[in-house]
Amino acid sequence: MACCFVAISCATAETVLEVASPDGRVALAVSLDDDGAPSYTVSYDGKSVVRRSQLGVVCADGDYSRGLRRIDCSDVVVDRQRYELWTGPTSRIDHLRHRKTVRFANADGNEVLIDGVASDEGAAFRYRFEKPTGERREVLRERTFFRFTTRAKGWLTPYHAAGEHTPNDEDYFFRVAVGDPPIESRAKPAGWAMPALIEPSTSGPAVLLCESGDVGDFCGSHLVNGAEPGSYEIAFAAADETHQAPKSVPFSATPASTTPWALPWRVILVGEPRDFVTATLVTDVASPSRISDTSWIKPGRASWGWLSQHEGPYRREFFDKFTDLAAEYGWEYTTFDGGWWNADLQEISQHARQRGVRPLVWMYSGDCYDGQHRREKLDHYKACGAAGVKIDFWATQLQHGMQAIRDTLQDAAERELVVVLHGCPTPRGWHRTWPNLLSCEAVLGMESYIYDNRYPEKVAELNCVLPFTRNVAGPMDATPLRLAPLVGTQRTTTVAHELATPIVFTSGVIHYADGPEAYNALPAAAQTVLREAPAQWDESRCLVGEPGKRVVVARRSGDDWFIAGLNGQDQHSEVELDLSPYADARTLVAITDDAESGQFEIVEAPAVPAKWRYKVPARGGFVLLLNRRDDQSTAAAEVDPMGSGATKR
């Protein structure tokens, strides 16, 4: 599937909009050629990272991709984005961006605007229709392309054709060359999903292609290979993505709205892959929160019994068991997943509330399309004591499905209910606009040990791709830290690797995938991670970032730092970390894997060394706990924490 690419002559293209980032490194330029066809480029330090690529949309009322003339262009607006995130790399955002808008008219005299943004993290643009107010407009095709060199490679995941449970953005990321056909992996492919990580050259910066926009205003978009080598173009959700929706729901394959109408932002992050782990450009361009009082929204950890006992029986004793697990470890939530209707919802919710645990209740997406039915369901769950809902099996990115998600988020917010989405599209900045959206699946998580026999082989690599791709777009419910074996499967990652994942990944609700027997058998230091590592972080840094190979992140909560690393390779990886920025910590506890036995090795150092070295085993990991010292005047010594200055236990 590819629309005809219109070649653009760089020699005859006039620049009509140019905006640079506050630090001057990222620049977005929009041009218009002699035939009135718009195009754009993105550069970094003066060098092109996205080559001249076509712009435009085709609507039912006319073509806005050629025959355009420029009317005017605004001055640069310095825009400061200050807001709070309940889930992500940091809780408080304070970013500058530069913004400009160019206005065009097509051959019929109708207008389209292109908003351009440049920040230190990358660039973004979108199409916007202002006039005439109240007129209905329908978009038939978007002619947005992304052109790279034919040598470019990347990490991409297939976008699935419609099926009973697809599309759901749940697949592996594959190392491919730009232009390679989509891989048939877990379902028939219909293109490539976003985010898509592209490396245009071996020496230059990387690019992450994302989407951001108000949920319900448009369909979800994905990428298909363009007609020109080294290019992708935007494609819309397919007309048959309706398998889980009620048959009475009137879906349309073409997004439509009344003006004024802003289409989604096309977000292009630019930099080193490690920069993407902490980037927030996707939410920087998203609409501000639509919830005035957010005091009731609480990120947190959750016990989750489904994977441990996914065949039941689902009785009160089962749900109470996992409620008690949450209470024991100080987790904020427990989730009553599929099968809760075999117990008394009011009774199991009451037990949770008595233990200081907030219940989340599984809900079917088909109950969310009819407004009255949806609100009755939410009222019932609220009356039974639920603090939120986990809504499953969306399997569509058509606009009507997105509208049902938006309406559900609004109705849930009015009832002070948090929301977790499953079987759903990748979030697109929605968690800023609707902060009660604490997490979304849209990822191949731990339950894949049951459903895909390739998962044990590929999970370590996948875990080292997700922080640079899927998790950049928004919170990711990967259901981490599974330790006990499942029937017919064997875990191939080490225990320390598993312990690191809830810190490496970000999610407003962390669903811990194992049961009390597995977690209670862990050493006390490992249990400290379960008890103290939160779901909301004050600050994050990526210390090591090689997609598919290894990742190390440092995250701060209050005065304490948690540093976690993953090795996605089938061979060991040498890591040397500069810990001098954390020299005011009181102690360092290193939780690693013993290379020979594969068991935990826990070392406590009396002071934080300036350097920390570790040979991470194949598919291994580590966690460092740094507690702030009372006396911050003591300088850090450069010692090996595995040496005489450390206590091994």
Side-chain angles (χ1 to χ4, degrees), residues 22-57:
D23 66 4
R25 304 190 73 182
V26 179
L28 168 69
V30 176
S31 302
L32 200 64
D33 71 11
D34 291 341
D35 295 325
S39 60
Y40 77 99
T41 60
V42 176
S43 60
Y44 188 77
D45 287 342
K47 296 181 180 179
S48 174
V49 289
V50 179
R51 305 171 75 187
R52 187 168 300 280
S53 303
Q54 186 179 355
L55 289 172
V57 292

Side-chain angles (χ1 to χ4, degrees), residues 429-564:
W430 305 339
H431 55 297
R432 177 186 178 184
T433 310
W434 296 101
N436 60 325
L437 177 62
L438 290 184
S439 197
C440 298
E441 189 178 24
V443 66
L444 208 58
M446 277 290 182
E447 64 186 37
S448 301
Y449 270 114
I450 301 173
Y451 298 122
D452 194 324
N453 58 16
R454 295 172 300 165
Y455 189 74
E457 172 194 349
K458 299 181 72 65
V459 61
E461 178 187 79
L462 177 64
N463 287 346
C464 290
V465 178
L466 293 172
F468 310 97
T469 53
R470 162 63 184 87
N471 216 175
V472 182
M476 184 176 73
D477 193 18
T479 58
L481 194 50
R482 174 71 189 181
L483 301 176
L486 292 166
V487 176
T489 66
Q490 184 173 356
R491 177 171 47 81
T492 57
T493 55
T494 68
V495 176
H497 182 111
E498 293 298 315
L499 190 68
T501 53
I503 300 171
V504 173
F505 303 152
T506 57
S507 176
V509 172
I510 301 172
H511 279 103
Y512 282 104
D514 222 324
E517 298 83 3
Y519 295 148
N520 291 342
L522 291 172
Q527 291 181 358
T528 297
V529 176
L530 297 179
R531 298 179 192 279
E532 296 185 6
Q536 185 180 32
W537 299 101
D538 297 317
E539 182 183 354
S540 295
R541 303 169 184 172
C542 184
L543 308 183
V544 177
E546 296 181 62
K549 295 182 178 180
R550 57 184 190 160
V551 58
V552 180
V553 296
R555 302 199 191 273
R556 180 177 62 83
S557 175
D559 292 333
D560 296 332
W561 284 92
F562 299 76
I563 300 178

Side-chain angles (χ1 to χ4, degrees), residues 119-131:
S119 84
D120 294 349
E121 295 179 346
F125 59 86
R126 69 177 179 183
Y127 309 99
R128 187 158 50 90
F129 297 100
E130 281 188 340
K131 300 175 182 178

Side-chain angles (χ1 to χ4, degrees), residues 194-259:
M194 291 187 283
L197 176 61
I198 309 294
E199 296 168 342
S201 67
T202 56
S203 58
V207 166
L208 189 69
L209 304 179
C210 303
E211 182 175 69
S212 180
D214 286 354
V215 59
D217 280 2
F218 211 73
C219 66
S221 304
H222 58 278
L223 302 173
V224 294
N225 290 347
E228 181 170 335
S231 70
Y232 296 110
E233 64 171 299
I234 290 291
F236 296 162
D240 57 352
E241 294 181 17
T242 61
H243 287 255
Q244 291 287 336
K247 301 303 181 185
S248 59
V249 175
F251 278 83
S252 172
T254 52
S257 185
T258 55
T259 52

Side-chain angles (χ1 to χ4, degrees), residues 345-412:
L345 181 58
Q346 197 146 10
E347 286 185 355
I348 58 178
S349 296
Q350 183 179 19
H351 176 73
R353 291 288 188 175
Q354 288 173 345
R355 297 297 316 270
V357 177
R358 299 156 62 90
L360 303 176
V361 178
W362 187 94
M363 183 178 180
Y364 175 48
S365 66
D367 290 329
C368 296
Y369 287 91
D370 179 79
Q372 180 176 347
H373 181 69
R374 175 180 64 243
R375 289 186 285 272
E376 288 175 354
K377 285 282 186 179
L378 294 175
D379 286 338
H380 173 64
Y381 300 147
K382 179 73 174 181
C384 287
V389 287
K390 172 183 175 179
I391 313 172
D392 208 347
F393 298 125
W394 290 93
T396 183
Q397 297 202 17
L398 287 168
Q399 186 179 13
H400 205 93
M402 299 292 203
Q403 289 170 339
I405 291 175
R406 175 199 61 203
D407 295 342
T408 301
L409 291 171
Q410 179 172 334
D411 286 343

